[in-house]
Amino acid sequence: MRRRIDVSLAVLVPLILGGVAVLAVLSADSLAARFSRFSTLEPAVAMALAAGVSVGCVSAAFVFAALRPIRRLLRTTAPALPLAAGPAKTAGLDDFGRLGVVADQMAEVLGALDARALFPNMVGESRAMRAVFAQVLKVAASDASVLLLGESGTGKDLAARSIHDKSPRSAGAFVAVNCAAIPQGLLESELFGHEKGAFTGAVTRRVGRFEQAAGGTLFLDEIGDMPLEIQAKILRVLETRQFERVGGITTLRADVRVIAATHRDLGEMIRRGAFREDLFHRLNVFPVHLPPLRERREDIALLAGRFLETLQPGATLSLAAMQRLLAHDWPGNVRELRNTLERAALLAGDAAVLEPRHLPGLAETGPGEAVQAGADDLDSRLAAYERSLIEAALARTGGVQARAATLLGIKERSLWHRVKKLGIAPGLFRPAGQQASNSDD
Ligand SMILES: Nc1ncnc2c1ncn2[C@@H]1O[C@H](COP(=O)(O)OP(=O)(O)OP(=O)(O)O)[C@@H](O)[C@H]1O
């Protein structure tokens, strides 16, 4: 069957295109004859004019023919891609414009699917996290320095490892140095190594982190805590790719890709002279911002489900407990969420369902508090609250819509409509190994 379609298309397409070309030439020729008979135009000019008119007519016919499948595509994709049908997104657009919106959304959906496969350890389906995944993939392919910015616990370390894993240097070592954890007097020798006798206590030669990371990636975490003298040395390595061990005279080559990270405001540090501006520009070739969890609340239920899977396989969160997670502001970001669930799992013992009493650090909340972030009018507050309840139910039932509907006290069909309207993907709430299956929806 497939073969027959291929053959007929292979014959039909050239036939149609050939026919259109012959028609265009014939009509251009006869039009040119008419033009030159009734006008004073040169035959060559008349021919050019006629050719223009013919090409215009053929293009118009082609556009008209192309619009039909586009309209059909728009009709069929609208319910599946709620934003594409949203009046705000498509108002004032013609069919081609609307096709652009649908194409963008399809790319987003495909991007999300890719991200899940490409970054199994980095959980996130929010728009902000998808942008991070796209940046990580883009920068991983190059050898450029990367600066990871974001509050503590947002996943900078995880992002650095992902960049290394996806880079051509992935076969080499990933060496991480926490600049804040090493006493300032020892940092230089830690990074560049030292020769025997370089200072009191240097009884043997020591290879530094730059050498250990040769062929791979050096991750300088908390670079905002690095003293100015060492900043100058790092700048030299980035510019010349050369360095010496402390007390050494041999110049060594640094074959490393540097990824730096900080939760500090480097701009403010530069203003008060605590961070070198030239080093900042050198590192800032490719900045990646890891968003705080409170700005991507749609990832909370997903992250919680994923952590619980490993901490207490089979356990779920009650609706009320999930509500508390969704309402909290998470100043410690994903790390705080993980720690909270670890504590909850310990407190819950053998209980299969984690309740609010297992989350003692989180304040009791009402719907108003649960929807504070970014919600200003009643409709968006209600939509946010509806979304949080549905996500909580789906997280509890592992993405099974029929059971989530029962939990919420509504019909499955009603839940289906709401899920589509809010653009929720129930599949994301399935346990990791089952996300490709659609069987229970
Ligand atoms: N997107 C994510 N998916 C899954 N786990 C995450 C994600 N982001 C962070 N984590 C987890 O949260 C914890 C903190 O992450 P990480 O150490 O990467 O944060 P960080 O930004 O480097 O923090 P700091 O600035 O304090 O060093 C880790 O346990 C990490 O595995």
Side-chain angles (χ1 to χ4, degrees):
M1 183 65 186
R2 190 188 166 84
R3 212 186 145 86
R4 267 180 50 202
I5 289 172
D6 286 348
V7 169
S8 52
L9 277 183
V11 175
L12 267 179
V13 171
L15 261 180
I16 291 169
L17 290 181
V20 167
V22 168
L23 268 176
V25 168
L26 284 179
S27 60
D29 201 32
S30 70
L31 271 177
R34 278 164 202 261
F35 269 138
S36 38
R37 201 174 318 140
F38 296 111
S39 74
T40 54
L41 290 174
E42 288 290 317
V45 177
M47 182 69 180
L49 260 178
V53 171
S54 315
V55 168
C57 291
V58 171
S59 310
F62 185 74
V63 167
F64 183 76
L67 264 179
R68 282 188 58 191
I70 288 174
R71 287 210 177 102
R72 202 173 325 129
L73 178 74
L74 288 173
R75 262 202 316 276
T76 45
T77 52
L81 297 168
L83 282 176
K89 278 258 170 187
T90 53
L93 294 178
D94 60 13
D95 284 336
F96 281 112
R98 289 174 61 212
L99 180 67
V101 174
V102 172
D104 283 352
Q105 298 220 324
M106 281 178 162
E108 252 180 49
V109 171
L110 291 176
L113 293 176
D114 276 357
R116 227 177 308 150
L118 288 170
F119 301 100
N121 298 326
M122 276 187 96
V123 179
E125 292 291 340
S126 57
R127 192 171 279 241
M129 277 311 285
R130 276 186 258 153
V132 168
F133 293 139
Q135 283 176 305
V136 164
L137 273 186
K138 198 164 161 188
V139 77
S142 80
D143 223 20
S145 301
V146 185
L147 184 57
L148 299 170
L149 300 162
E151 292 176 13
S152 204
T154 45
K156 299 186 291 297
D157 187 286
L158 221 49
R161 284 171 201 276
S162 302
I163 292 173
H164 171 73
D165 290 345
K166 299 281 173 267
S167 78
R169 290 176 171 271
S170 60
F174 176 85
V175 176
V177 183
N178 185 338
C179 303
I182 297 170
Q184 299 207 345
L186 297 182
L187 191 55
E188 184 179 358
S189 134
E190 182 74 28
L191 290 170
F192 304 110
H194 61 245
E195 295 294 346
K196 182 177 173 182
F199 47 83
T200 321
V203 286
T204 52
R205 169 192 274 182
R206 183 173 192 276
V207 167
R209 301 299 180 105
F210 269 96
E211 276 176 86
Q212 287 173 10
T217 304
L218 181 64
F219 175 43
L220 299 175
D221 200 2
E222 311 291 4
I223 194 150
D225 293 50
M226 185 181 267
L228 281 165
E229 321 86 77
I230 313 277
Q231 289 178 27
K233 293 187 186 226
I234 295 287
L235 179 65
R236 180 184 161 229
V237 185
L238 291 177
E239 283 181 338
T240 64
R241 301 266 142 208
Q242 291 179 341
F243 68 97
E244 288 88 31
R245 296 192 195 109
V246 177
I249 45 164
T250 317
T251 299
L252 303 169
R253 203 183 122 62
D255 172 22
V256 294
R257 194 255 185 102
V258 172
I259 301 179
T262 183
H263 66 277
R264 295 187 186 278
D265 178 350
L266 291 184
E268 184 273 329
M269 289 186 73
I270 291 169
R271 280 193 291 283
R272 57 181 172 84
F275 200 83
R276 293 184 66 115
E277 188 167 3
D278 44 11
L279 177 59
F280 172 74
H281 290 303
R282 193 81 208 179
L283 291 171
N284 203 34
V285 177
F286 205 115
V288 178
H289 294 262
L290 276 297
L293 192 52
R294 65 183 168 281
E295 285 176 18
R296 48 181 172 111
R297 286 178 187 273
E298 55 273 48
D299 286 342
I300 295 174
L302 206 58
L303 279 159
R306 206 60 81 77
F307 289 148
L308 211 55
E309 245 171 73
T310 48
L311 291 167
Q312 191 129 319
T316 55
L317 285 145
S318 73
L319 268 179
M322 183 62 88
Q323 272 299 109
R324 278 204 191 177
L325 297 185
L326 292 169
H328 187 60
D329 246 6
W330 302 110
N333 295 295
V334 185
R335 179 180 290 118
E336 187 191 352
L337 175 61
R338 198 191 161 90
N339 292 343
T340 301
L341 286 167
E342 262 175 37
R343 199 169 49 235
L346 276 177
L347 288 174
D350 292 338
V353 181
L354 275 64
E355 299 289 350
R357 67 175 183 282
H358 302 127
L359 304 166
L362 303 190
E364 200 171 321
T365 52
E369 286 160 272
V371 295
Q372 267 173 9
D376 40 18
D377 61 47
L378 181 63
D379 281 345
S380 48
R381 276 162 170 265
L382 287 173
Y385 190 48
E386 187 181 11
R387 168 189 281 276
S388 72
L389 282 174
I390 292 176
E391 285 184 347
L394 286 168
R396 254 202 88 184
T397 61
V400 180
Q401 291 193 59
R403 283 176 39 215
T406 312
L407 216 56
L408 292 163
I410 56 175
K411 292 216 164 64
E412 193 184 346
R413 190 167 170 69
S414 165
L415 178 64
W416 187 84
H417 280 300
R418 289 165 201 262
V419 158
K420 292 279 174 248
K421 180 184 74 180
L422 295 166
I424 298 170
L428 298 178
F429 295 90
R430 291 191 194 115
Q434 299 173 21
Q435 288 186 350
S437 144
N438 282 321
S439 55
D440 40 34
D441 279 341

